[in-house]
Amino acid sequence: MYDRFPRLGLRERLGQQDMSLDIADAYVHSRNAMIEAGVGIGKSFAYLLPGLLINQISRQPVIIATSSIQLSEQIHKDLRFIGSRLGFTSVRSVVGKGMGQYACRYRAAELFNPDDSSSPLSTLIERIMNVEIDERADITGGVSDAVWSNVCVNDCKFERCHYKSTCSFYEMRVKINAGAGDMDFIIVNQDLLIRDLIKKKEGTRGLITERPALIVIDEAHNLEAKVRDARTLEFTFRGSCRMLDDALQILFKQSADPGIMGQFKFVKGCIGNIFKQVEADLLHTAKQDNDRIKVSQITGVPLKRGAQVLKEFSLSLSVLTSRHEREIDNAFEAINGLIGLFDVLAGVEDSYLIWASNTRGESTVSICPKGISQFLKHTLFNGKTPVILTSATMCQGGDTLEEQYSYLTQSLGYKGEYMERQASPFDYDNHTMMYIAKDVPYYNHKNREDYLEAAYKEMLRLCNLTDGRTLVLFSAKEDMKYVHAKLNSGKLAWALHVQREGSSQDGIIAEFRGSKGVLLSTGVFWEGVNIEGSDLSQLIIFRLPFPVPSDPVYEYKASLAGNPLNEVFVPDMLLRLRQGTGRLIRSETDLGVLSILDSRLSAAAGKDYRNKVLEALPFKRVTEDFKVLETFVGEKGIRLNG
């Protein structure tokens, strides 16, 4: 097949071919494989090509799981393109996204008010009712999380919903659960794959087809966080009360026992007191909305008695049978979740992590099992279906492949083969320079203002050097807001853009490309963003993306390590840093500057991890001298400055 590439106008890439052969070999020998595929080798083609052959031979679907909607859509396009070029004319494929991405006509109909047509929500409801909007992505210019949360699918009625014939979510769920021979490629996000594994582990019917030929997990460096998210139960005061009301309705219908009302009132009172104490914790400890903080000991709440009452509700629900089976299942699951919360808070259950956050403007308590690696070892890497893990950033330093892949192996409970790393074909030596700002003070909470002021001035100087054309990646939203406010108040020689909540990446990237200005971003922009050419000539990493040490998840991981800095915090930071810096060079002809405004990386700082960072990144021309950087920009100036 690769021999036909030149005739089809496709470029031959040795790394791509090697990766395809490794995947074919893993499938033939029924083994799992871990493969780091550098930026530019074309990894989606590298796994789609053997995937097409494996599907043709086995007549079983190939599952591809990604960590972002953008990548899922891109893989779907790539599959169509390569399939048609190579003569696979009738490839049946589906892209499956999470519930929250789809519009729910049932919920929209419930909220529809013909007398109110002025608010953004009422306009959105009308468009959903008129079948103009099926998914969040259909909304030009984006929509805020707060508005969208009213109308997205959050508890589907499936077969019993009379809107199912025009529902994209229902259609997608039917397709991803198709039997062998009915679907060739099932492209889902990692969250959906993990929920499927959880259901199958619990012995209930899965969400995705039972017998795939192969599972490919792209962007596998995100898998641990995705598993943690999927296995995390979130509780808010309002949500918990709603769950209790649903359960009460079901149980009261069955028993008509008035005594049950008092028991529900008692549990609600317990929940109210729990959240009062959690809100006080958040007020004193959380520095920004997405901070995860420790929950202090809950006092004055009879948690054990509350758990006992909930267990009685659970038992009553478990013996019920009725036409509304899904509602009973949902109520049963919700009550068991609350039992878990009460047990963790009471100290009865210690195999869970617990934290509080201010998610979507509401105090939220989350619990999550500690053992992520054990779960994946038994549900994913169990030898039933070959699993391929791939990403551009999977490895750390080390002499052997086992050492290089060791951080992810331990985090994921991986069992299988390690494949040779396929290096990026791009010419980093001649096309790039890395600049470390040595004079910016170290960041810590006490000198945050001094750091931000100095980093802001350095950022301004760097953006002027490349005449805009700069993507700035922040690891903290608060830092981004501070810099945005400072830039907004001054006169700039270039257009300023900032990532917006709920808006599509594509829209803001198109604006940035059009103006050749500066884009301030965080979160999703560290991954999957592809801006080729001279529109992006500089990438600025505002601060090294270390995880927050007090975050309960990282605190737990650190507690298991002999040397937390070298075994947890540096490896995690390196994975994220490598993803972020991968945004700069996206083609053979791209040129650019990587600037890091974190002087902990300077030679004078003498940090042990400096060499690990320099070894992990492909940028070999490194300077701390602004004049050397200016000379480089001058030499390459035609391309850097358009």
Side-chain angles (χ1 to χ4, degrees), residues 431 466-467 469 516 532-538 587-592 632-642:
H431 288 187
T466 55
D467 192 22
R469 304 162 194 275
K516 304 188 183 347
E532 277 187 36
S534 61
D535 292 345
L536 177 60
S537 296
Q538 179 172 214
S587 75
E588 280 90 345
T589 55
D590 277 4
L591 298 149
F632 175 80
V633 169
E635 284 170 4
K636 310 284 182 183
I638 303 166
R639 299 301 290 276
L640 280 167
N641 291 311

Side-chain angles (χ1 to χ4, degrees), residues 243-244 247 310 313-314 317 330-339:
M243 283 190 234
L244 285 168
L310 285 166
F313 295 158
S314 173
L317 286 165
N330 289 344
F332 178 69
E333 214 172 292
I335 293 294
N336 284 345
L338 279 173
I339 293 167

Side-chain angles (χ1 to χ4, degrees), residues 202-217:
E202 289 169 350
T204 57
R205 190 172 177 223
L207 304 171
I208 307 176
T209 188
E210 283 291 328
R211 288 176 53 79
L214 181 74
I215 298 171
V216 178
I217 300 179

Side-chain angles (χ1 to χ4, degrees), residues 153-267:
V153 177
N154 73 344
D155 182 16
C156 186
K157 294 190 174 298
F158 293 95
E159 295 75 22
R160 289 179 293 99
C161 181
H162 53 268
Y163 294 98
K164 70 180 182 188
S165 60
T166 59
C167 177
S168 292
F169 173 72
Y170 180 80
E171 183 189 12
M172 175 276 291
R173 285 289 283 265
V174 169
K175 283 183 176 176
I176 66 170
N177 214 332
D182 295 328
M183 192 56 63
D184 301 317
F185 278 78
I186 296 168
I187 304 163
V188 295
N189 55 32
Q190 289 176 14
D191 311 72
L192 208 54
L193 175 70
I194 295 155
R195 279 207 298 281
D196 174 67
L197 295 175
I198 291 168
K199 282 189 169 292
K200 286 170 182 167
K201 182 177 182 278
E202 289 169 350
T204 57
R205 190 172 177 223
L207 304 171
I208 307 176
T209 188
E210 283 291 328
R211 288 176 53 79
L214 181 74
I215 298 171
V216 178
I217 300 179
D218 201 342
E219 305 297 337
H221 61 277
N222 282 322
L223 188 59
E224 184 198 356
K226 294 285 186 184
V227 172
R228 219 174 268 290
D229 288 349
R231 301 200 73 202
T232 295
L233 297 178
E234 288 188 347
F235 304 89
T236 63
F237 176 65
R238 281 191 310 174
S240 301
C241 289
R242 200 165 48 241
M243 283 190 234
L244 285 168
D245 288 341
D246 291 346
L248 173 61
Q249 220 170 9
I250 292 165
L251 289 174
F252 193 69
K253 258 185 209 167
Q254 298 291 325
S255 68
D257 174 12
I260 207 169
M261 307 286 241
Q263 290 176 307
F264 271 90
K265 198 174 174 187
F266 163 71
V267 175

Side-chain angles (χ1 to χ4, degrees), residues 291-495:
D291 277 1
R292 298 193 288 203
I293 67 152
K294 276 189 277 194
V295 176
S296 57
Q297 193 172 353
I298 300 293
T299 55
V301 180
L303 294 165
K304 287 182 182 172
R305 193 179 146 220
Q308 193 50 50
V309 172
L310 285 166
K311 280 168 189 165
E312 286 163 19
F313 295 158
S314 173
L315 188 63
S316 302
L317 286 165
S318 70
V319 296
L320 289 184
T321 52
S322 94
R323 287 181 300 114
H324 303 299
E325 220 168 285
R326 199 179 289 274
E327 273 105 326
I328 293 169
D329 283 350
N330 289 344
F332 178 69
E333 214 172 292
I335 293 294
N336 284 345
L338 279 173
I339 293 167
L341 175 66
F342 274 62
D343 282 348
V344 173
L345 288 170
V348 174
E349 172 62 81
D350 68 349
S351 62
Y352 279 76
L353 299 172
I354 182 164
W355 63 86
S357 58
N358 201 350
T359 312
R360 293 178 290 279
E362 209 172 355
S363 298
T364 306
V365 179
S366 305
I367 61 170
C368 168
K370 289 174 179 175
I372 294 302
S373 59
Q374 288 304 310
F375 168 76
L376 285 174
K377 191 180 278 185
H378 297 304
T379 59
L380 188 63
F381 306 122
N382 54 21
K384 289 180 183 171
T385 301
V387 178
I388 310 298
L389 299 180
T390 185
S391 163
T393 56
M394 302 182 86
C395 295
Q396 312 282 327
D399 297 327
T400 65
L401 283 175
E402 202 166 336
E403 284 171 3
Q404 290 165 18
Y405 285 109
S406 65
Y407 179 64
L408 272 191
T409 298
Q410 285 164 15
S411 300
L412 301 176
Y414 173 74
K415 292 188 298 187
E417 306 287 309
Y418 303 110
M419 300 303 182
E420 286 294 336
R421 297 165 71 174
Q422 303 301 334
S424 170
F426 299 155
D427 187 359
Y428 282 89
D429 291 358
N430 294 308
H431 288 187
T432 65
M433 180 172 276
M434 177 173 162
Y435 168 71
I436 299 166
K438 66 179 189 300
D439 297 324
V440 173
Y442 288 1
Y443 176 94
N444 62 49
H445 288 305
K446 287 176 190 164
N447 76 338
R448 182 172 177 266
E449 293 261 331
D450 293 344
Y451 163 77
L452 285 172
E453 190 57 35
Y456 160 75
K457 284 177 181 165
E458 188 71 354
M459 191 195 112
L460 210 50
R461 184 162 74 138
L462 287 161
C463 291
N464 288 334
L465 178 66
T466 55
D467 192 22
R469 304 162 194 275
T470 299
L471 174 65
V472 188
L473 290 175
F474 294 86
S475 42
K477 270 187 188 170
E478 298 305 305
D479 292 357
M480 184 172 83
K481 284 177 189 170
Y482 177 94
V483 169
H484 184 235
K486 290 273 294 182
L487 288 170
N488 250 348
S489 62
K491 283 190 85 174
L492 305 172
W494 24 261

